Amino acid sequence: MLAVPELGLQGLYIGSSPERSPVPSPPGSPRTQESCGIAPLTPSQSPKPEARSPQQASFSVVVAIDFGTTSSGYAFSFASDPEAIHMMRKWEGGDPGVAHQKTPTCLLLTPEGAFHSFGYTARDYYHDLDPEEARDWLYFEKFKMKIHSATDLTLKTQLEAVNGKKMAALEVFAHALRFFKEHALQELREQCPSLPEKDAVRWVLTVPAIWKQPAKQFMREAAYLAGLVSRENAEQLLIALEPEAASVYCRKLRMHQLLDLSSRAPGGGRLGERRSIDSSFRQAREQLRRSRHSRTFLVESGVGELWAELQAGDRYMVADCGGGTVDLTVHQLEQPHGTLKELYKASGGPYGAVGVDLAFEQLLGRIFGEDFITTFKRQRPAAWVDLTIAFEARKRTAGPHRVGALNISLPFSFIDFYRKQRGHNVETALRRSSVNFVKWSSQGMLRMTCEAMNELFQPTVSGIIQHIEALLAQPEVQGVKLLFLVGGFAESAVLQHAVQTALGPRGLRVVVPHDVGLTILKGAVLFGQAPGVVRVRRSPLTYGVGVLNRFVAGRHPPDKLLVRDGRRWCTDVFERFVAAEQSVALGEEVRRSYCPARPGQRRVLINLYCCAAEDAHFITDPGVRKCGALSLELEPTPADGGPDAAGAPPGRREIRAAMQFGDTEIKVTAVDVSTNRSVRAAIDFLSN
């Protein structure tokens, strides 16, 4: 909480206990230098959180944008038929053997920084540029990961294009979102000419569940800049967590739409050679027929046939294996409406498919020299993109039981540039290299053994399995019956085989939806139609503010003692709003009251603190950090001008804030108690 200047301080107790006070910390406190002149009204014990049903805005269509690390796309459904999901048009261009219902997350800007193209068009145009000309164009790919990895993310964070030039990350993301907005609206107008132009669309953006609040707010700010929605109609945009979206979609699937990896024959074959999940659940189906109540509630809730094989209360895990991250969540199916309850906070890490690409780049560095690869990427950026495309095509064919080597084409620009830089050809480099599982083929290609290709997967795949095993060991998730593998990387036969081999013997059924690469996108559409489907979530962190408590000798540290007006206070006390791992229902509110420090004050600003521990006592404890600020914008009132007509002094002005921690974003609303009018309230995680 920001400190209050000594002059004009107005404290007010709310509640029965005087143990907490709005009096500020003394000079030298971590908060003093950021004072904005507020006096908190937060009393004693927090009132019990209250649950409030979220209000649903009216809309005609839901458009979901799955903004991925390696590929992106959109889908939509109309409110009149919410489960009829329309995928975006097939994209022009693309790679042989790759479904084109998504497009690469590649953005191309002109040398002046203006938008040129996105997706396959951007990639192919950039690839065809003259090498000298390409140096001036700004080409961005796989840039979503930068938002996750940035430790000090702000609205001024910059991204580096492949040519080394930098640009504001917010503008880069806004260019991409604006592209999808324009494409989606054009398609909607063609399909439904009578669709209203304004406020007809609810937009949904997907983000990894492990993203922190600043990254989620960043995506929302980019959406505002792109014109998806306005700040005044913020509720038109929903942030969907990717594994949650997948879970929402999977609960709608029928058994013939799933592949059960545990039913693959021993020594199973290549990708796709496995049986449907139907036979695996035949016995369970027979047992469930004897329990009409369990089946009835699931069918009446619109839950898919697979879930009719499960009982209310059953638990399952979703592993979203994407381009940049692996994202894990554990849900429990609830009755009577088939809603979902999160059992453990979202976990995961940077173990996406780009890890395999990085391993390939490191392999090239071992063969040709890391300094050469760095120079080549900088001076021949378009040729480097060409090389990564060639590797991606071969990566998709890798499998645990594949026989025969894989050939990877080297661009002529790579071969020529290497000869000029090193004075000998790439074949000589391969002969001199200590890497003996990569050879030079007579067709002028790198020839890599299957074992070598599979080795490139191992660090990333091992990280995924370790995260899943660590989550399964948590007591809160005992009893998990199913593991859904979803996301683009889940298409990999190498990953599927490794996960089944490691976890199948533990009795965990590993299941893959047929349209695994589109699971999150389709689920995001369903989530947009019914965002209340995930009823309970777990808070990933402990959140609160700093307050003063009545000093108690022997319990409080002497260095926290503040004496003011003859009263003894303990400074820097961490007052908790919600604890890490705490279950929080959708719409559940934590309420606090605050009072302006002086008449006429137009803004109240309170610092928010967070930590991973549940039992922090002070905002100065190790691990506790300032993570954001609660802002309350106040309208002038007659009381600000002095006594009223009867000559009575102006009364204290109470602003009651209500925070919700059970949604995909932390939300806040506020009311001026004296007028019962709404107060503009916001939580800023990006200006820390």
Side-chain angles (χ1 to χ4, degrees):
M1 180 183 307
L2 293 177
V4 186
E6 294 186 20
L7 297 177
L9 174 67
Q10 295 187 15
L12 179 64
Y13 295 113
I14 301 294
S16 58
S17 171
E19 288 301 308
R20 300 181 191 271
S21 167
V23 181
S25 296
S29 157
R31 307 187 300 276
T32 302
Q33 301 304 318
E34 302 166 309
S35 173
C36 283
I38 58 152
L41 276 176
T42 304
S44 57
Q45 295 300 321
S46 311
K48 185 176 181 180
E50 298 183 20
R52 175 180 294 181
S53 300
Q55 297 181 350
Q56 302 297 335
S58 59
F59 55 91
S60 302
V61 61
V62 167
V63 178
I65 301 174
D66 181 13
F67 197 100
T69 300
T70 55
S71 60
S72 301
Y74 69 84
F76 59 91
S77 72
F78 294 96
S80 57
D81 191 5
E83 295 192 16
I85 299 174
H86 305 262
M87 296 301 301
M88 64 185 185
R89 292 194 189 97
K90 299 284 186 178
W91 294 90
E92 295 181 2
D95 304 318
V98 180
H100 304 325
Q101 289 184 298
K102 283 188 176 183
T103 194
T105 308
C106 304
L107 173 69
L108 182 62
L109 306 180
T110 67
E112 295 75 30
F115 177 84
H116 180 272
S117 52
F118 187 88
Y120 285 116
T121 304
R123 192 194 70 179
D124 295 344
Y125 188 93
Y126 185 68
H127 167 263
D128 292 337
L129 285 173
D130 178 85
E132 294 300 322
E133 186 182 3
R135 294 184 186 183
D136 297 325
W137 288 67
L138 287 81
Y139 181 78
F140 298 89
E141 62 176 356
K142 301 174 184 175
F143 50 89
K144 179 182 174 183
M145 278 292 290
K146 299 296 191 300
I147 302 305
H148 172 68
S149 58
T151 56
D152 55 349
L153 181 65
T154 71
L155 295 177
K156 297 181 180 179
T157 296
Q158 292 192 315
L159 292 179
E160 186 174 304
V162 296
N163 64 356
K165 294 183 179 180
K166 293 185 177 181
M167 186 176 189
L170 193 67
E171 293 185 37
V172 173
F173 277 80
H175 277 305
L177 293 178
R178 192 178 298 113
F179 167 83
F180 281 114
K181 171 198 170 187
E182 293 172 355
H183 268 253
L185 291 180
Q186 178 63 29
E187 187 170 351
L188 286 172
R189 281 191 289 266
E190 292 175 4
Q191 289 206 23
C192 185
S194 62
L195 190 70
E197 283 291 325
K198 188 177 180 182
D199 302 336
V201 178
R202 166 179 279 173
W203 296 90
V204 181
L205 285 181
T206 65
V207 303
I210 59 173
W211 270 19
K212 295 180 173 59
Q213 294 299 325
K216 296 176 184 178
Q217 182 185 339
F218 182 92
M219 290 299 291
R220 179 170 285 277
E221 294 291 339
Y224 291 151
L225 185 59
L228 265 70
V229 301
S230 66
R231 296 181 187 276
E232 291 70 28
N233 295 308
E235 70 281 353
Q236 277 187 257
L237 172 65
L238 297 179
I239 299 296
L241 308 183
E242 290 166 358
E244 280 191 2
S247 179
V248 171
Y249 178 68
C250 288
R251 64 195 283 278
K252 293 287 185 180
L253 294 178
R254 305 302 182 186
M255 292 189 295
H256 68 274
Q257 295 171 300
L258 298 158
L259 301 172
D260 182 5
L261 300 186
S262 63
S263 67
R264 185 184 292 180
R270 297 175 61 179
L271 182 64
E273 295 178 3
R274 68 208 90 172
R275 300 193 302 274
S276 167
I277 198 172
D278 288 270
S279 59
S280 305
F281 279 106
R282 210 165 276 157
Q283 183 177 1
R285 181 191 297 131
E286 184 59 34
Q287 293 174 350
L288 201 57
R289 282 201 183 100
R290 303 190 186 106
S291 177
R292 294 185 61 187
H293 172 73
S294 296
R295 185 175 180 89
T296 298
F297 105 77
L298 288 169
V299 171
E300 288 179 349
S301 302
V303 179
E305 187 179 350
L306 169 64
W307 299 104
E309 310 305 335
L310 300 175
Q311 303 285 339
D314 278 348
R315 304 168 169 209
Y316 64 95
M317 180 185 298
V318 175
D320 170 24
C321 305
T325 59
V326 61
D327 228 5
L328 308 178
T329 192
V330 182
H331 281 157
Q332 183 174 40
L333 191 64
E334 296 184 311
Q335 59 177 334
H337 303 298
T339 53
L340 301 174
K341 176 181 179 181
E342 188 176 43
L343 298 179
Y344 194 81
K345 64 181 180 181
S347 60
Y351 297 101
V354 294
V356 184
D357 303 337
L358 180 59
F360 176 65
E361 182 178 336
Q362 293 170 342
L363 175 63
L364 293 177
R366 290 170 57 191
I367 298 172
F368 302 106
E370 294 180 5
D371 59 331
F372 169 77
I373 297 300
T374 301
T375 302
F376 179 73
K377 289 171 64 177
R378 184 178 65 251
Q379 297 193 21
R380 296 291 186 271
W384 173 255
V385 171
D386 195 21
L387 177 54
T388 60
I389 294 172
F391 174 72
E392 177 69 23
R394 308 314 294 156
K395 182 177 73 173
R396 289 177 176 271
T397 66
H401 308 292
R402 179 190 171 102
V403 294
L406 299 96
N407 291 331
I408 301 172
S409 299
L410 281 181
F412 172 77
S413 179
F414 184 99
I415 298 170
D416 181 63
F417 192 74
Y418 184 81
R419 185 175 63 251
K420 291 177 179 178
Q421 290 282 313
R422 292 292 202 250
H424 56 264
N425 58 31
V426 296
E427 184 177 0
T428 302
L430 282 162
R431 283 201 308 267
R432 295 177 178 178
S433 169
S434 60
V435 179
N436 56 17
F437 46 78
V438 179
K439 306 296 183 184
W440 184 248
S441 74
S442 57
Q443 291 85 14
M445 299 181 178
L446 292 180
R447 188 166 179 82
M448 178 182 291
T449 65
C450 290
E451 293 77 13
M453 175 63 83
N454 291 340
E455 279 298 314
L456 298 179
F457 281 78
Q458 289 316 302
T460 300
V461 170
S462 296
I464 292 173
I465 293 173
Q466 289 171 10
H467 269 76
I468 295 175
E469 290 177 333
L471 184 53
L472 288 172
Q474 299 299 323
E476 295 90 341
V477 303
Q478 297 305 301
V480 168
K481 294 184 175 182
L482 279 175
L483 168 62
F484 285 96
L485 277 184
V486 302
F489 194 26
E491 296 175 352
S492 167
V494 175
L495 176 61
Q496 292 183 5
H497 180 265
V499 172
Q500 173 59 32
T501 300
L503 303 176
R506 301 177 56 162
L508 192 67
R509 176 165 281 119
V510 183
V511 177
V512 181
H514 280 197
D515 50 357
V516 60
L518 302 175
T519 301
I520 293 164
L521 180 53
K522 293 181 177 180
V525 176
L526 297 175
F527 176 80
Q529 296 284 3
V533 63
V534 182
R535 192 186 63 83
V536 179
R537 293 181 175 89
R538 294 281 185 133
S539 176
L541 295 170
T542 298
Y543 290 94
V545 295
V547 299
L548 300 184
N549 273 8
R550 183 68 58 83
F551 187 86
V552 178
R555 190 176 78 182
H556 293 142
D559 63 335
K560 298 294 184 183
L561 173 63
L562 168 68
V563 179
R564 174 166 293 172
D565 298 330
R567 307 183 73 176
R568 293 159 57 88
W569 301 100
C570 180
T571 65
D572 298 330
V573 175
F574 183 75
E575 183 188 48
R576 188 176 67 190
F577 289 165
V578 64
E581 274 299 326
Q582 178 179 334
S583 290
V584 189
L586 186 66
E588 186 175 314
E589 293 182 342
V590 176
R591 295 183 179 181
R592 294 291 188 275
S593 292
Y594 301 96
C595 178
R598 59 187 180 275
Q601 186 174 333
R602 294 291 172 263
R603 191 182 189 205
V604 174
L605 189 65
I606 305 110
N607 281 346
L608 294 180
Y609 296 85
C610 69
C611 62
E614 300 178 27
D615 56 352
H617 299 291
F618 300 97
I619 62 173
T620 54
D621 286 352
V624 180
R625 59 184 176 85
K626 177 177 174 288
C627 61
L630 168 62
S631 173
L632 306 173
E633 304 291 338
L634 309 181
E635 296 291 334
T637 66
D640 291 337
D644 61 17
R652 297 189 187 275
R653 188 177 183 185
E654 180 184 347
I655 308 299
R656 184 171 298 156
M659 287 158 283
Q660 297 184 25
F661 295 88
D663 213 326
T664 58
E665 301 172 273
I666 297 177
K667 299 180 178 179
V668 62
T669 57
V671 174
D672 188 327
V673 175
S674 62
T675 63
N676 202 33
R677 295 175 62 179
S678 295
V679 171
R680 182 177 297 177
I683 299 180
D684 185 4
F685 293 99
L686 287 172
S687 299
N688 191 15

